Amino acid sequence: MTSIVFMGTPAFAAPILESLIKAQYQVLGVVTQPDRKVGRKHVITASPVKEVAVAHNIPVFQPEKIGGSPEMQQIIDLQPDLIVTAAFGQFLPTKLLKAAKLGAVNVHGSLLPKYRGGAPVQYSIINGEAETGITIIYMVKKMDAGDMLAQRAIPIEKTDDTGTMFDKLSLVGRDLLLETLPKLIAGEITAVPQDEAQVTFAPNIQPEQEVLDFFTKTAAEIDNQVRGMRPAPIAYAILDGKRTKFWDVTPLADEVVTQAPGQVVRKTKHELVIAAADHTALAINQLQPAGKPKMTITDYLNGAADKFATGEQVISK
């Protein structure tokens, strides 16, 4: 029986761990981020991966930082055949990578060499990619730069957001890993180096990237950004003088507007359309003003009285 140490944290990684257990790999231990405070009440909450491990009575290691920690030596002492990581969120020291007899592999959420880094799914959506996927790679000291063992693409639908794509990619990663490991263990896979000329990066999302720019971005680009930031952290703009989160929008591809970016194109009881760059139009479906709950555009407009006249500048820089 092949022994594995599994490393991962979020919901994306949980089905992958569950599948390894069900496939009767010997999971010697699970490494995940420490329990964190979650929600407004700051409830200390275990990661989804920890919950799976505990349910199956698998030892759990939770170092704040794996490098140089006592837990790292404990993991090395387990002498696993393989280390498998999925959205673990930390670099692994070379000493740890070399501890696994057959190597360390990572289930990465992009079609490498595109989108190396911590937010590949978000960038794939924000940049309007038609597809994304899973790449299984050998782990090396350089971020997401290892040789590729397997890859599978899936389309990004216009209704997809980061949340739905993580759900889909988790299952693709689960299935692809289960197909790949027996071949790896049997020595039947030839790893393929990544083409360094094609490398792009997807670093963690920064606060300034949450801001919607109606003045330089088209309606379609704003829609991509909104979906890429959903379900968290949620993109926002200054609407009617208030910081407002935009949960759901629709670019109106058939409309060419004369209003300037950020101005009202049309308002009815159930519709608010705002101009974006290049004479494009964006319908606002669901938003959340600061200090208020998420609401439909109909509910929002019910409280807007006579605001939002056609041509009014309602988005501020």
Side-chain angles (χ1 to χ4, degrees):
M1 183 182 294
T2 302
S3 63
I4 291 174
V5 167
F6 184 84
M7 300 184 176
T9 296
F12 169 83
I16 298 171
L17 171 59
E18 190 82 53
S19 72
L20 293 173
I21 297 166
K22 290 183 178 178
Q24 297 188 327
Y25 288 97
Q26 184 186 9
V27 182
L28 301 175
V30 165
V31 189
T32 190
Q33 298 285 352
D35 298 356
R36 304 292 190 194
K37 294 178 181 178
V38 174
R40 291 184 178 180
K41 294 184 178 180
H42 301 292
V43 177
I44 300 295
T45 304
S47 73
V49 163
K50 181 179 178 179
E51 291 178 353
V52 173
V54 170
H56 291 277
N57 298 311
I58 297 171
V60 176
F61 304 91
Q62 295 182 270
E64 192 68 48
K65 183 179 179 182
I66 189 72
S69 67
E71 289 89 347
M72 187 177 86
Q73 188 57 51
Q74 291 175 297
I75 294 161
I76 291 171
D77 291 343
L78 292 173
Q79 298 182 313
D81 295 315
L82 278 166
I83 292 173
V84 176
T85 71
F88 178 53
Q90 294 187 34
F91 281 106
L92 302 191
T94 301
K95 182 179 179 181
L96 182 57
L97 294 176
K98 290 181 176 180
K101 302 178 185 70
L102 298 175
V105 300
N106 179 40
V107 182
H108 183 76
S110 82
L111 299 174
L112 290 170
K114 293 186 76 171
Y115 301 122
R116 293 179 182 176
V121 178
Q122 290 91 330
Y123 278 84
S124 295
I125 297 172
I126 291 168
N127 291 340
E129 300 285 0
E131 63 179 12
T132 185
I134 291 289
T135 309
I136 297 177
I137 58 172
Y138 277 123
M139 296 189 72
V140 294
K141 190 70 179 292
K142 189 177 178 182
M143 182 177 62
D144 300 327
D147 292 350
M148 300 182 293
L149 297 164
Q151 190 170 80
R152 182 164 296 158
I154 59 170
I156 300 174
E157 307 292 346
K158 289 300 182 183
T159 54
D160 276 320
D161 60 20
T162 292
T164 63
M165 288 310 304
F166 266 123
D167 291 344
K168 293 178 182 181
L169 289 170
S170 177
L171 301 182
V172 173
R174 174 197 67 187
D175 295 345
L176 188 59
L177 181 68
L178 289 182
E179 293 172 23
T180 303
L181 286 185
K183 300 173 187 176
L184 172 63
I185 293 164
E188 298 172 354
I189 288 183
T190 300
V192 178
Q194 296 184 40
D195 181 355
E196 291 294 326
Q198 301 299 317
V199 169
T200 62
F201 292 96
N204 291 334
I205 298 295
Q206 299 300 309
E208 59 269 21
Q209 293 174 276
E210 300 169 27
V211 183
L212 296 172
D213 184 355
F214 282 71
F215 303 92
T216 66
K217 302 294 185 183
T218 66
E221 290 170 332
I222 292 172
D223 176 45
N224 290 340
Q225 186 177 355
V226 167
R227 292 184 295 112
M229 298 288 172
R230 193 175 68 217
I234 302 299
Y236 72 91
I238 306 302
L239 173 65
D240 190 30
K242 300 179 181 67
R243 176 171 166 152
T244 303
K245 294 182 177 181
F246 284 65
W247 282 83
D248 186 54
V249 299
T250 301
L252 304 179
D254 296 332
E255 290 200 33
V256 178
V257 302
T258 58
Q259 287 82 5
Q263 292 183 354
V264 174
V265 174
R266 184 167 60 255
K267 173 203 172 186
T268 69
K269 287 184 177 181
H270 307 291
E271 184 183 37
L272 179 62
V273 178
I274 299 175
D278 293 345
H279 307 287
T280 59
L282 188 73
I284 314 304
N285 304 324
Q286 198 174 52
L287 42 67
Q288 183 178 9
K292 295 186 177 181
K294 179 170 59 175
M295 63 185 75
T296 65
I297 194 61
T298 300
D299 290 340
Y300 177 78
L301 292 174
N302 279 342
D306 296 327
K307 295 181 179 180
F308 303 113
T310 299
E312 181 181 353
Q313 187 73 41
V314 292
I315 299 289
S316 307
K317 288 187 179 180

